[in-house]
Amino acid sequence: DDDDDDDSTSTTIFNWSGTHQVSTKHFWEPETEAEVEAIVRDCHARGQAIRPVGSSLSPNGIGFSSDGMLSLANLNEIVSVDTEKREVTVQAGARVSQVLDALKPYGLTLPNLASIAEQQMGGFVQVGAHGTGAKIAPVDHYVT
């Protein structure tokens, strides 16, 4: 669309500690899965690089890209909690703290937690987050 070619605007994203930042010409914040699909399809057709951005909790700037960033923060729903199977389905932008709050009324929790609960689930799973204990698998082990 024509807005994608407007050179006059950019978005600056900082990591949590303010030590790293990136200014990106293309920054998307879709609200539906269909919007994500359309953005990715359009970027692919144009050869446009795109990188997801979460809560920007990394202590470095490795996840940043000046080419294009896609935030999934608006895709933050707790879709379902199945107490029988002890499973929760969430969108990638849901924060760990939201998931914990949604599970608490059912007497459930996540099997493994990192020290920060403000990560978005998509990133939390993708980076192999883990708590402590040699016999506890990283979070991605529990994703089905």
Side-chain angles (χ1 to χ4, degrees), residues 1 10 17 22 40 62 65 80-81 93 110 115 119 131 143:
D1 94 15
S10 68
S17 62
V22 67
V40 171
I62 197 168
S65 172
S80 66
V81 176
L110 296 175
S115 59
Q119 297 133 315
V143 176

Side-chain angles (χ1 to χ4, degrees), residues 13-75:
I13 303 168
F14 294 87
N15 71 333
W16 67 275
S17 62
T19 57
H20 296 276
Q21 70 183 53
V22 67
S23 290
T24 182
K25 179 180 167 190
H26 302 284
F27 184 74
W28 297 275
E29 294 180 287
E31 296 183 2
T32 67
E33 290 177 27
E35 288 177 15
V36 172
E37 291 171 359
I39 291 165
V40 171
R41 191 171 33 256
D42 181 55
C43 287
H44 178 72
R46 293 185 291 125
Q48 165 73 50
I50 186 170
R51 184 173 289 171
V53 63
S55 304
S56 298
L57 291 169
S58 176
N60 57 51
I62 197 168
F64 290 159
S65 172
S66 59
D67 293 329
M69 305 283 302
L70 175 73
S71 170
L72 299 178
N74 294 323
L75 294 164

Side-chain angles (χ1 to χ4, degrees), residues 8 13 27 38 44 53 84 99 116 128 136 141:
S8 65
I13 303 168
F27 184 74
H44 178 72
V53 63
E84 188 175 305
V99 176
I116 301 171
I136 301 173
H141 173 80

